[in-house]
Amino acid sequence: MAGPHHESSGFPDDEGADDFVREFRQAVSPADRDMLAHTPPLLILDVAGDDAEYDRRVRRLVEALERALRGQQDAKLVPYALPTADDASALLSGTAARGLGRGMPRHMTPDRLPGFWPLWDSVAYIRAHAEERQAPGAAALRDHAHEQLRLNRQQRREGRVQAALWALGGGESPPVGGLRGWLLGSLWHGVTRTLPRWWWERRRTRRMVRKPRLFRPARQRWLGGMLGMTGDAETLFAVMDEVADRQMARLVLPLDHPRHQESLAALEALLTRALLEDLKAPAIGRWRPLQRRRTARPVLLVQLPRQDRPSAVAVERFLRAFHRERRSTAQSPGPLVIAIGKPSQQLLTDLGSPPVSGLTPAGRLLHQSGSEVVLVRLKEEPFTREGLFIRPTSPATYRVSGRLMTAGAAGGIALALALAGIGAVQASIPDTPENSRCVAGDMPVAGSRYRRPVPLHPKQWYDQTLAEIRTQNRRAEAFAAQGRTVRTVVAFTSNGPTSRTDTLFDGTIPELRGIAMWQRKLNDDAISDDSRVPLRVDVRPSGEGFAHAEQAARKLVDQITGGSQGTGGPTYEKVIGVLGFAQSKEATREALKILEQAGLPVIGTTATADEMLVSANYWPFTPLNSTEAHIAANFASNSPVIARSSGGCEPAERAVVIQSPADLYSKSLADKFRSDFRGTSQLINFSQTSDFSGAPAGTPKMKSAHDLAETVCDALRGSDPTIVYWSARARDFVAFVNALDTQGTCTDRDITMLGGNELTNVALTGEFNDKTWLRLYYSAHRMPTGDGAADNKTKQFVDVYDRFVPGAAKDDPWRDDGHSAVSYDAFHVLSRAADMAVSGQGDLDPNAMLTALRSGITFDGATGYVSYGQGSNMPPRNKTLVLLRQSAQGPKVALACGAYRQDKSDRPEDGACAAQ
């Protein structure tokens, strides 16, 4: 007879469980708060088993993960919820929202979800009155939702003044006759009931449906667009009354009727989108005391019931809605959702049929943007034994209440206002010439300090740089002959330039210059410092635009695994790391996966797409597209960059976004910019090679620069202040600008364009010095040479660059570009890891390099302060990013984000650099 069942506990010790547990804790409460800006995928932990065994395994997983989210005395450490359903009619978004707000850690202000709850209360009212088959009217929905708000505040003991006024106001219907009845009906109820409800509805409408604008059509918000709002006069509850018109007749049908289920799916989608909109941009501390002190990511642990249970329908309906609506919020950070159990085949199909992943890659993807759904099928055997204990997460906590901080802040503000006096009043007047000055000046690109295009000698410059690297390689080999530890790193580049055009649109030459400069410094330092490890550089071209990156990576891996790299020959030929890649493309992303097979650490240079984060051995050096796009969108939305006919500038309210959909970098940057830009946007696809794979259905597709210019000119004829956001490559940008200038139909007024770091390849060469209509902003990764805010390390780098490149101070096209500085600092990272990893016996291999990199690396570099966190292969914390304006006097800083020095504040007051 079998003995009593022993119920094992802990997270199942499946293959890769250690990595997953570590990454799960890091994803929930990372040491670097900036990592909260990344969007984790929907994770499904597929659990096998029948009946009681299935329920036991699901419960075990939930308890193991939940244990990491609770601290002493079972108190929550992070906001999380375990949404469940009783039957097929449940809407899981409501239980999720309630769970996130309950039992918050001490002094951590919970998200109040100001958009979700009015919609939830409206939906609840519609469902409760479905039998009436007649829409309740906007006023009834508003009054019900406002009453629920009052009751919730009363339960939280908030709004005491409002509660007292309500008590004095009497009942809904004032007594007929008498002075008291007249006062209540005519005045008091207007102050205590009608006015607050009207004002509350107006604020909700402004935030969710439309933003009113004087003398212009209203701008649609997310709810207006989702529900097809047609009129500017529609309020939030008028829109919800239209929802009631459509859904009430379906809600009275039997629960198993397809139309009833369609109605529930539509309502779940609406509520889930509202929840994501409220959670998509968490405030991280800053100066407002009662803002959400977000030190951890919200978590939803969703149990998947067995398919024979009615509640399975409700749970899978929520997961479908979450997957679909998160796309609409364009990969905003949002919560981490982990579904635990056996998903139906239909659900997996609706989620895009995700491939099965292991625990190790799934753990890495938890704190990386780019993946939508990750499916892990857990084996049965690990459930038969004890699992891993997940230690509680350790987010930052607060000892002082937000109300006390608010009181202190209010006192400080009152004192400041009293001292400011009349000056503060005058400064608050909007639209003065002072407040509408164009960011970084009112200068066009024309009249660049390069009066003519810079004379370019691509073959000569490329050969000179490679010759310098060969010279430094020989110096390193001489150190090896003396008995020093010397190793080799591989630098993957695109093919060398063969024409002036190649030089304009490819950053290969400045990147190789930065590598050669660091190699020379390393050799110079190694003369007197025995702790330095001299490094050889093996430059390997991988095709035009990295077209052959996969083949180049495969060749290197085959050499290493086949024993022909550094075996049987000089030890200094042993490869211990890789520098690259400079561009985010499908080929370079696949190359990273191949290089991981050899266990080689890879330090990135200027590849910025979040989608490149596919290898645990890859360390990006520059901020990801999600960071850059967020900063660019905030900048365009809030800063005066669009020229007014009356003088000065104003923020952009509309964006025309140009992307090359088949280009990983371009599509990634465009999608993320459109997500974060506060105004409306129009997407246009442009590809001179006619490759439009990945282009959204219904969006324009242009292969001619002339056609693109016509389309953009049409879009610029509206009255809204409009910016052109360019995410495609530099070569296409030059073709577009030239087509605009040739056509001339919209260059009678200034056109503001904003682009990524790709444009630095061409902006400084004098290509646009006759374009008097072009106002060009673009991103870079270090301060310009002449900017006073540049730190000493940057100035020191420029001095070395001027000596390295003869005549650089006069007419070098990349002296103010960031490519050389980025590769210089990236090589510094790899070199520092080598210094840390070498053993006392002089041995050094890739595994030791990986260990050194994961322990964290920090230094002041040419691009500012570089600080890689421990145990994370994300870009350096608070990495520098600059938005420049190209002017007649050269590039001017429009916005600087990141830590240029260790002690420098990296959050400007305007908030454009704030994390997502």
Side-chain angles (χ1 to χ4, degrees):
M1 184 174 181
H5 172 76
H6 173 67
E7 200 166 316
S8 302
S9 61
F11 190 87
D13 193 10
D14 206 340
E15 182 179 357
D18 286 334
D19 296 331
F20 177 82
V21 166
R22 180 181 66 252
E23 300 291 357
F24 169 72
R25 297 181 70 253
Q26 177 72 2
V28 173
S29 56
D32 180 4
R33 282 195 205 178
D34 288 347
M35 292 175 65
L36 293 173
H38 300 291
T39 305
L42 167 60
L43 174 64
I44 302 177
L45 299 179
D46 191 339
V47 178
D50 297 325
D51 300 336
E53 187 65 28
Y54 173 85
D55 292 337
R56 190 159 43 244
R57 290 175 178 177
V58 170
R59 184 170 62 250
R60 172 177 169 177
L61 277 170
V62 171
E63 290 175 352
L65 295 173
E66 186 184 13
R67 191 177 297 118
L69 310 178
R70 288 188 173 273
Q72 297 179 352
Q73 299 178 347
D74 217 25
K76 280 186 178 181
L77 295 172
V78 303
Y80 78 91
L82 282 69
T84 57
D86 295 329
D87 55 41
S89 67
L91 299 177
L92 237 66
S93 50
T95 55
R98 282 191 292 270
L100 289 176
R102 289 174 180 165
M104 293 299 297
R106 181 175 172 81
H107 296 326
M108 182 181 285
T109 306
D111 287 303
R112 296 305 187 197
L113 308 181
F116 175 84
W117 288 119
L119 295 189
W120 172 263
D121 293 331
S122 298
V123 168
Y125 189 90
I126 291 169
R127 297 182 69 188
H129 293 77
E131 294 290 345
E132 299 175 7
R133 299 176 181 268
Q134 184 176 358
L141 291 175
R142 182 199 64 188
D143 292 346
H144 172 75
H146 194 265
E147 174 65 12
Q148 297 305 309
L149 172 69
R150 183 185 70 84
L151 293 175
N152 289 335
R153 284 183 170 179
Q154 196 173 54
Q155 290 176 358
R156 297 194 305 262
R157 297 184 179 182
E158 295 179 357
R160 297 178 182 179
V161 174
Q162 296 92 326
L165 291 174
W166 274 70
L168 290 173
E172 284 292 337
S173 299
V176 179
L179 179 60
R180 181 172 181 271
W182 181 82
L183 287 174
L184 285 175
S186 303
L187 179 62
W188 195 246
H189 274 203
V191 173
T192 61
R193 295 181 186 277
T194 306
L195 180 61
R197 295 181 185 188
W198 172 83
W199 181 248
W200 176 70
E201 180 181 32
R202 184 178 184 276
R203 290 173 59 199
R204 299 280 78 76
T205 298
R206 181 182 178 88
R207 292 182 179 181
M208 300 168 65
V209 182
R210 60 181 175 81
K211 180 180 179 181
R213 292 163 55 196
L214 192 61
F215 306 126
R216 294 183 185 178
R219 282 169 50 189
Q220 263 191 4
R221 297 298 196 183
W222 73 265
L223 181 60
M226 183 180 183
L227 298 181
M229 187 198 77
T230 57
D232 291 349
E234 290 179 286
T235 64
L236 167 63
F237 294 103
V239 170
M240 291 306 297
D241 195 49
E242 293 179 13
V243 172
D245 272 331
R246 292 192 296 268
Q247 304 300 342
M248 291 180 79
R250 301 168 184 169
L251 291 171
V252 297
L253 297 171
L255 181 59
D256 58 353
H257 194 285
R259 299 296 285 169
H260 191 139
Q261 289 299 315
E262 288 178 18
S263 178
L264 293 177
L267 295 176
E268 185 73 277
L270 174 66
L271 295 170
T272 303
R273 176 68 180 276
L275 182 63
L276 292 176
E277 290 288 339
D278 281 345
L279 293 175
K280 77 173 184 178
I284 302 177
R286 294 178 63 81
W287 57 270
R288 292 177 59 187
L290 286 182
Q291 271 193 336
R292 167 97 178 146
R293 299 169 177 187
R294 179 60 55 76
T295 58
R297 187 188 305 279
V299 180
L300 299 179
L301 301 178
V302 182
Q303 302 179 51
L304 282 163
R306 296 197 305 269
Q307 291 302 308
D308 58 348
R309 295 181 178 177
S311 55
V313 175
V315 173
E316 293 198 350
R317 180 170 57 232
F318 169 73
L319 294 177
R320 289 187 185 93
F322 173 79
H323 174 65
R324 183 172 60 253
E325 296 308 321
R326 188 177 61 173
R327 288 181 172 180
S328 300
T329 56
Q331 297 291 303
S332 56
L336 168 61
V337 177
I338 302 180
I340 303 166
K342 187 70 175 177
S344 68
Q345 188 56 48
Q346 183 60 49
L347 175 62
L348 293 179
T349 301
D350 294 341
L351 298 182
S353 300
V356 178
S357 173
L359 282 173
T360 296
R364 289 202 306 266
L365 292 171
L366 284 183
H367 55 81
Q368 299 176 7
S369 301
S371 298
E372 293 184 346
V373 182
V374 176
L375 173 64
V376 178
R377 289 208 167 102
L378 298 174
K379 300 175 183 176
E380 295 194 35
E381 186 275 334
F383 282 97
T384 64
R385 47 190 170 85
E386 287 298 314
L388 303 178
F389 171 74
I390 306 180
R391 292 187 297 110
T393 56
S394 54
T397 56
Y398 300 90
R399 297 183 179 181
V400 180
S401 73
R403 295 186 182 278
L404 180 59
M405 293 183 66
T406 300
I413 291 172
L415 179 61
L417 289 175
L419 293 175
I422 190 66
V425 176
Q426 293 176 345
S428 67
I429 299 175
D431 294 331
T432 62
E434 181 70 26
N435 288 336
S436 61
R437 285 183 178 175
C438 305
V439 177
D442 190 14
M443 309 84 66
V445 173
S448 164
R449 66 188 182 94
Y450 306 114
R451 296 183 179 179
R452 55 184 175 81
V454 177
L456 302 175
H457 310 285
K459 187 71 166 58
Q460 175 187 341
W461 290 345
Y462 182 76
D463 290 343
Q464 286 175 344
T465 308
L466 287 184
E468 177 63 25
I469 291 176
R470 287 193 291 269
T471 297
Q472 298 306 320
N473 284 346
R474 289 191 292 270
R475 290 184 66 191
E477 292 164 10
F479 280 115
Q482 300 170 10
R484 295 281 292 273
T485 299
V486 178
R487 294 291 186 267
T488 296
V489 299
V490 171
F492 284 113
T493 68
S494 62
N495 281 357
T498 57
S499 68
R500 182 178 184 273
T501 301
D502 291 338
T503 307
L504 279 176
F505 309 131
D506 194 319
T508 299
I509 292 175
E511 182 163 310
L512 284 175
R513 283 176 174 175
I515 291 172
M517 289 168 63
W518 177 260
Q519 191 182 19
R520 177 193 284 183
K521 174 176 171 50
L522 179 60
N523 282 330
D524 290 345
D525 291 349
I527 294 174
S528 58
D529 189 346
D530 292 339
S531 67
R532 306 306 301 274
V533 177
L535 296 172
R536 297 172 69 253
V537 178
D538 183 357
V539 178
R540 298 196 179 192
S542 54
E544 183 179 353
F546 297 94
H548 307 309
E550 294 178 67
Q551 295 91 316
R554 176 64 64 192
K555 181 179 179 180
L556 175 59
V557 171
D558 290 344
Q559 289 175 342
I560 293 174
T561 56
S564 62
Q565 189 74 31
T567 302
T571 307
Y572 59 66
E573 290 184 353
K574 183 176 181 180
V575 176
I576 60 169
V578 171
L579 282 169
F581 292 89
Q583 293 183 9
S584 304
K585 295 192 171 183
E586 296 287 350
T588 54
R589 179 171 63 174
E590 293 305 311
L592 290 177
K593 296 178 183 178
I594 294 170
L595 291 172
E596 188 174 22
Q597 300 172 13
L600 285 173
V602 182
I603 306 298
T605 53
T606 54
T608 56
D610 299 60
E611 291 78 3
M612 293 288 285
L613 296 170
V614 293
S615 169
N617 298 348
Y618 173 61
W619 275 262
F621 184 80
T622 47
L624 298 176
N625 278 357
S626 53
T627 299
E628 179 176 332
H630 183 71
I631 291 171
N634 279 349
F635 174 75
S637 302
N638 301 319
S639 305
V641 293
I642 309 298
R644 289 173 170 168
S645 58
S646 58
C649 288
E650 60 185 323
E653 297 182 1
R654 187 167 175 269
V656 177
V657 180
I658 316 296
Q659 73 166 5
S660 296
D663 188 329
L664 183 68
Y665 158 83
S666 177
K667 189 175 190 308
S668 168
L669 195 62
D671 287 346
K672 292 170 175 58
F673 177 86
R674 294 181 67 210
S675 166
D676 290 334
F677 183 66
R678 295 182 183 177
T680 58
S681 63
Q682 176 184 351
L683 179 66
I684 302 175
N685 304 285
F686 180 55
S687 172
Q688 297 192 78
T689 62
S690 300
D691 187 354
F692 295 105
S693 54
T699 55
K701 301 176 181 65
M702 308 285 173
K703 64 178 182 180
S704 162
H706 176 80
D707 293 343
L708 177 63
E710 285 189 339
T711 304
V712 171
C713 281
D714 289 341
L716 293 175
R717 290 193 178 99
S719 58
D720 291 341
T722 303
I723 194 168
V724 177
Y725 185 73
W726 188 269
S727 74
R729 298 292 176 178
R731 180 175 182 272
D732 293 333
F733 182 73
V734 173
F736 168 62
V737 171
N738 289 337
L740 277 176
D741 195 60
T742 301
Q743 185 179 359
T745 56
C746 61
T747 56
D748 54 332
R749 58 178 179 174
D750 289 353
I751 300 176
T752 300
M753 299 189 189
L754 172 61
N757 178 65
E758 174 79 8
L759 298 187
T760 63
N761 291 333
V762 70
L764 305 174
T765 61
E767 277 293 297
F768 307 134
N769 62 358
D770 60 342
K771 306 300 187 289
T772 58
W773 48 267
L774 177 61
R775 295 169 177 258
L776 178 61
Y777 295 91
Y778 57 93
S779 65
H781 293 124
R782 75 162 175 85
M783 286 284 197
T785 304
D787 193 275
D791 70 342
N792 291 332
K793 280 292 184 181
T794 297
K795 295 175 181 177
Q796 182 182 0
F797 169 82
V798 174
D799 291 341
V800 175
Y801 186 90
D802 288 347
R803 294 194 298 272
F804 186 84
V805 181
K810 181 180 179 182
D811 58 4
D812 182 76
W814 299 297
R815 188 171 183 258
D816 281 320
D817 176 61
H819 283 76
S820 294
V822 166
S823 60
Y824 182 88
D825 280 353
F827 199 178
H828 185 172
V829 173
L830 204 56
S831 171
R832 179 63 186 139
D835 295 343
M836 296 166 60
V838 67
S839 68
Q841 291 73 38
D843 192 24
L844 177 58
D845 58 31
N847 284 333
M849 294 281 291
L850 291 170
T851 301
L853 286 166
R854 288 168 182 155
S855 67
I857 292 197
T858 301
F859 60 85
D860 271 324
T863 59
Y865 184 57
V866 178
S867 177
Y868 281 101
Q870 294 185 5
S872 169
N873 66 330
M874 300 301 290
R877 290 173 293 193
N878 297 337
K879 190 67 191 73
T880 53
L881 186 77
V882 191
L883 292 185
L884 302 177
R885 176 168 186 168
Q886 191 62 20
S887 73
Q889 289 75 40
K892 302 295 182 182
V893 175
L895 178 69
C897 301
Y900 278 82
R901 292 178 296 277
Q902 183 174 1
D903 57 346
K904 180 184 179 298
S905 171
D906 64 322
R907 298 295 185 224
E909 293 179 2
D910 62 8
C913 299
Q916 295 176 345

